[in-house]
Amino acid sequence: MRNPPDDHAVAVWIWPRALPLAAIFGPAWDGAEVRARFLTLTGQWQARHPAPSAVGRAGGPRPGQWMWHPPARRIYDCHTYEAGDDWLEVAIRMESVDFYPDHCRLGASLTIACRCEIPHPGHHTIVETSWRTGGPAGALDALTAVLRYTDQWIANSQQPAGWRRHAGLD
């Protein structure tokens, strides 16, 4: 992930099958049907995009692994499309909502590398979507929708230059 959270060092790459969903999102996530649907969706996410470009780099994920951030009770994954020194990244995340038990916040974003002369985070978010849901059924329905959004974004172009022009950042 090009732009991880500040406390990214406490996160680990993990296979979706090993994620402690009930510990992250609440006891309603402990059922076999919920886990099976989650694994189906994460498998579809992986199949829709090429392996992350970080594969083979020290500390990088293997294809299919997700980042688990225990303190934030969050999981996320991203796929990076590189074109020379430019890059485009599509990221997806799920996290618990502390003030609403059994609720999840889900989202996806499409970012490109920054080429600005002024210092700032090093990327520009071109498009994003965010959902808040209650219970696993709603969260997995939202994850299905989020996957459709990422499919539509990438179907338009996997080239950073095209998205840069679209956002008026050329």
Side-chain angles (χ1 to χ4, degrees):
M1 175 164 263
R2 298 243 182 211
N3 300 293
D6 291 337
D7 55 354
H8 181 75
V10 297
V12 295
W13 289 106
I14 192 169
W15 298 107
R17 184 172 306 280
L19 285 167
L21 297 178
I24 299 168
F25 302 118
W29 285 78
D30 216 10
E33 289 179 23
V34 171
R35 181 165 291 278
R37 186 169 174 209
F38 173 78
L39 291 174
T40 298
L41 291 170
T42 58
Q44 290 171 352
W45 161 255
Q46 183 60 36
R48 288 172 168 150
H49 301 281
S53 60
V55 171
R57 294 183 191 160
R62 293 187 199 157
Q65 288 184 320
W66 280 55
M67 182 65 74
W68 173 34
H69 192 268
R73 295 182 22 219
R74 175 186 310 138
I75 59 173
Y76 47 96
D77 192 26
C78 67
H79 295 286
T80 303
Y81 302 88
E82 295 188 25
D85 65 344
D86 205 359
W87 55 265
L88 172 74
E89 183 176 86
V90 60
I92 191 167
R93 73 187 174 287
M94 293 178 67
E95 59 191 337
S96 69
V97 181
D98 288 334
F99 49 90
Y100 286 106
D102 297 328
H103 280 65
C104 284
R105 203 174 8 242
L106 296 94
S109 61
L110 183 75
T111 58
I112 58 170
C114 175
R115 293 189 173 164
C116 298
E117 306 239 346
I118 59 170
H120 61 89
H123 68 281
H124 292 278
T125 300
I126 303 301
V127 64
E128 62 187 333
T129 185
S130 181
W131 300 67
R132 192 180 88 200
T133 65
L140 294 171
D141 288 346
L143 181 57
T144 301
V146 165
L147 290 175
R148 280 192 205 117
Y149 281 110
T150 63
D151 288 348
Q152 291 169 359
W153 300 338
I154 296 304
N156 287 328
S157 175
Q158 295 179 4
Q159 297 299 315
W163 283 100
R164 192 176 304 290
R165 280 190 302 278
H166 173 76
L169 294 170
D170 266 346

